[in-house]
């Protein structure tokens, strides 16, 4: 609480960050501006069904999840498709939601889905709110994870 007559100072804006970790050679902690400045931004105009509020129409921008994950050097042989296909990505959000994707879903040699780590939603920066997972190929919005805190990349248990 400020004293009477003292100028009001707004709290410094905290930048949300996410950790890329797991079976990777270079774990990283990235803010939304890091994601915006370090990778090519892709745009996705999506419509997905939300169980609580019906159809959602949004425009997201951000780097491809595949490119961000590859920058952390997953511990697989990039030349061997079967080695890559045993990997998964587990994404955790600040609101307690989680989802899992197979590496093959986002790999250019397999599904090549343009999954994003959004840095902008409907022309608004997500710097303070945190990045959002965007799965444009999904009809359902359950894998649209907000306020991402962690992306774990690793071999499926038992496939090591």
């Amino acid at each position: 609480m400020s004293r009477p007559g003292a100028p009001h100072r707004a709290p410094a804006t905290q930048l949300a960050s996410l950790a890329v970790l797991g079976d990777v050679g270079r774990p990283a902690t990235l803010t939304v501006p890091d994601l915006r400045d370090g990778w090519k931004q892709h745009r996705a105009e999506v419509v997905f069904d939300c169980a609580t509020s019906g159809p959602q129409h949004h425009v997201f921008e951000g780097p491809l999840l595949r490119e961000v994950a590859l920058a952390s050097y997953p511990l697989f042989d990039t030349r061997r498709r079967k080695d890559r296909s045993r990997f998964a990505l587990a994404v955790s959000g600040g609101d307690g939601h989680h989802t899992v994707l197979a590496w093959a879903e986002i790999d250019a040699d397999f599904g090549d889905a343009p999954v994003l780590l959004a840095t902008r939603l409907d022309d608004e920066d997500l710097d303070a709110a945190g990045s959002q997972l965007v799965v444009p190929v999904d009809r359902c919005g359950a894998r649209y994870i907000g306020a991402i805190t962690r992306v774990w990349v690793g071999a499926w248990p038992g496939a090591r």
Side-chain angles (χ1 to χ4, degrees), residues 67-140:
E67 293 173 358
V68 174
L70 282 171
S72 287
Y73 297 99
L75 299 178
F76 54 60
D77 186 340
T78 57
R79 299 165 299 176
R80 296 184 56 224
R81 291 179 181 145
K82 286 188 178 183
D83 200 30
R84 295 189 320 253
S85 71
R86 67 189 176 93
F87 267 61
L89 301 103
V91 180
S92 300
D95 61 0
H97 286 94
H98 309 278
T99 196
V100 176
L101 296 99
W103 185 272
E105 288 182 77
I106 63 172
D107 192 292
D109 286 336
F110 295 96
D112 199 21
V115 176
L116 302 180
L117 293 176
T119 61
R120 292 177 59 82
L121 164 61
D122 297 330
D123 295 322
E124 296 291 328
D125 289 341
L126 295 173
D127 295 21
S131 181
Q132 179 162 339
L133 184 71
V134 178
V135 189
V137 298
D138 284 3
R139 183 181 61 80
C140 166

Side-chain angles (χ1 to χ4, degrees), residues 16-74:
S17 65
L18 64 88
V20 181
L21 47 96
D23 296 337
V24 296
R26 186 185 297 168
T29 300
L30 303 165
T31 64
V32 172
D34 292 336
L35 292 170
R36 192 170 27 258
D37 298 338
W39 286 272
K40 178 181 177 187
Q41 301 296 289
H42 298 264
R43 185 177 173 91
E45 295 181 27
V46 301
V47 178
F48 58 87
D49 187 46
C50 177
T52 58
S53 53
Q56 301 291 304
H57 301 261
H58 294 290
V59 177
F60 292 95
E61 296 173 53
L64 293 173
L65 171 60
R66 171 183 64 231
E67 293 173 358
V68 174
L70 282 171
S72 287
Y73 297 99

